[in-house]
Amino acid sequence: MADTLIHPNWARPPIGITEGFSLEMTAKDEASLRDAAPLIPAETPVAITFLPGEDVGARVAATVAVRELGFEPMPHFSARRITSEDDFEGYLKAVVERAGVTRAFIVAGDPPAPVGPYFDTSALIATGAFERSGIRAIGIGGHPEGHPNMTVEQCWQVLEMKVGDIAARGMAPLIVTQFGFDPDAFLAWLKELRARGIDVPVRIGVPGPAGIKRLLSFAARCGVGASTAVLKKYGISVASLLGSAGPDKLVDAFATGLGPEHGRVRLHFYPFGGLVKTLEWIHAYNRRHGIDRT
C-alpha cells in the first residue's frame, strides 16, 4: 500500500484529529527537540528545514538526532539554494547513510534565481538522485491560499505534474500545505484537490501556539491570508496584538469539517512558539477531547 511508504501511521485510522501529526524544526532546534522528545510519539515524522546561512553539518546533525530519538526524519531540499550537484548529492548521501532517511521534502526556495543548477523542485526530481539513494517518499508543497508567483490554475497544473513525476519514479507523493488561519480555505482546497483526481495523502499546515505578533510576522513573510475576518475565525482580534494565540478553533474546525470527500488528511505543526510549547498544546488539546493516549 502506497500510504505506508509515506509513514506506517497512515495505515492506522486516526483516533482524534491530532493522531499521526508531524512536526517541523530547524537545525538550531536540536536541543529543543531533545527537550520535547518525551512528548512526541515514536515514529513521528519530523521535517528539518533548509534555511539560508545554515551549516550543512548542523542540518545533518539535526537529522541524525531525529532518528536517534526514535522519530522519522524528513529533511528539506531547497532547490534554488543548492549550489551544485555535489552539494545536492553530498547532502542526500549524508542524511541517508547517517540517519537512515527514506523520506524527503522538496521546495523551490525563496531566491528568485538559483545559486546553482536547480531552478525548481522538478529539476531535483528529474536528477533521479532520490530514487537511486533509496528515498521512498517525496513531500511537496501545497498552497490552499494560492502562490505569489503563479495563477491558481498554474498551481494546480504544477502540483499534478509533480505528483505524477514522483509516482512514475516509484516513490510515494505526499502534499504538505503552507500553514494558514482559515479552515474554510483549506477544506475547499482539499475538495477541489480530490475533484481534480489528485488522491494522495495531505498534511495540513497548522501554526503552533505563539505570540500574536510572531504569528502575523510569519504570515506576512509566507504570504498567508490574515484579513480581519480570517483572524477572527482563528481567534485573534486585531484590536489587541498582545499575548499569544493557539490553533484551538482551527483544529476544532478540521475535526468537525473533514469528511470522506477530503481524502486522507493529517496535521503538520509549524512550532513558531517552540517545539515544547507546541507539544504541550497538542497534549492539552487531546486531554480536553478525551483522546490523549499518554
Side-chain angles (χ1 to χ4, degrees):
M1 186 174 179
D3 285 4
T4 60
L5 296 178
I6 299 296
H7 194 268
N9 66 28
W10 282 97
R12 301 193 301 262
I15 300 175
I17 185 63
T18 64
E19 176 79 2
F21 66 87
S22 58
L23 296 165
E24 190 144 320
M25 66 175 285
T26 68
K28 67 181 180 181
D29 292 329
E30 182 182 341
S32 297
L33 178 70
R34 295 184 186 278
D35 291 340
L39 298 171
I40 306 174
E43 298 187 316
T44 293
V46 180
I48 302 93
T49 59
F50 192 120
L51 298 179
E54 281 183 339
D55 177 69
V56 64
R59 286 200 302 273
V60 173
T63 306
V64 171
V66 171
R67 174 64 74 199
E68 289 178 345
L69 289 167
F71 313 127
E72 188 63 40
M74 193 173 193
H76 284 204
F77 291 79
S78 182
R80 293 177 194 162
R81 296 192 189 281
I82 295 172
T83 60
S84 66
E85 182 180 345
D86 288 344
D87 181 23
F88 170 40
E89 300 209 11
Y91 180 44
L92 179 57
K93 180 180 180 184
V95 294
V96 168
E97 292 184 351
R98 295 183 56 191
V101 165
T102 60
R103 297 157 181 85
F105 185 81
I106 54 177
V107 295
D110 295 331
V115 298
Y118 308 110
F119 178 76
D120 56 18
T121 54
S122 292
L124 293 180
I125 296 169
T127 66
F130 289 117
E131 61 265 38
R132 287 197 305 271
S133 298
I135 298 298
R136 302 169 64 200
I138 295 284
I140 54 177
H143 300 87
E145 296 181 316
H147 190 285
N149 299 321
M150 290 188 286
T151 67
V152 171
E153 189 56 37
Q154 285 173 332
C155 280
W156 288 118
Q157 291 172 357
V158 169
L159 187 62
E160 185 173 6
M161 178 188 69
K162 287 190 285 192
V163 164
D165 287 348
I166 292 165
R169 292 175 176 273
M171 297 176 290
L174 167 70
I175 298 171
V176 183
T177 77
Q178 176 61 277
F179 79 93
F181 301 119
D182 185 356
D184 296 331
F186 282 79
L187 293 171
W189 179 85
L190 283 165
K191 285 183 71 173
E192 183 165 359
L193 180 82
R194 305 315 185 188
R196 288 173 174 265
I198 304 175
D199 184 28
V200 301
V202 174
R203 288 193 176 277
I204 299 174
V206 174
I212 293 173
K213 288 185 177 179
R214 184 173 179 84
L215 287 171
L216 296 183
S217 173
F218 275 102
R221 192 183 310 173
C222 300
V224 170
S227 67
T228 300
V230 165
L231 292 176
K232 186 177 181 180
K233 287 184 191 178
Y234 187 76
I236 294 175
S237 169
V238 295
S240 175
L241 299 182
L242 300 177
S244 300
D248 298 72
K249 289 186 176 182
L250 181 68
V251 174
D252 283 346
F254 292 140
T256 58
L258 286 169
E261 70 274 21
H262 300 109
R264 296 157 292 170
V265 178
R266 302 286 176 92
L267 303 184
H268 177 74
F269 285 91
Y270 295 88
F272 298 131
L275 283 163
V276 171
K277 191 172 183 178
T278 294
L279 269 298
E280 289 176 342
W281 180 90
I282 293 171
H283 283 276
Y285 182 91
N286 288 346
R287 286 193 296 271
R288 288 196 301 273
H289 292 80
I291 55 176
D292 197 8
R293 286 184 162 184
T294 61

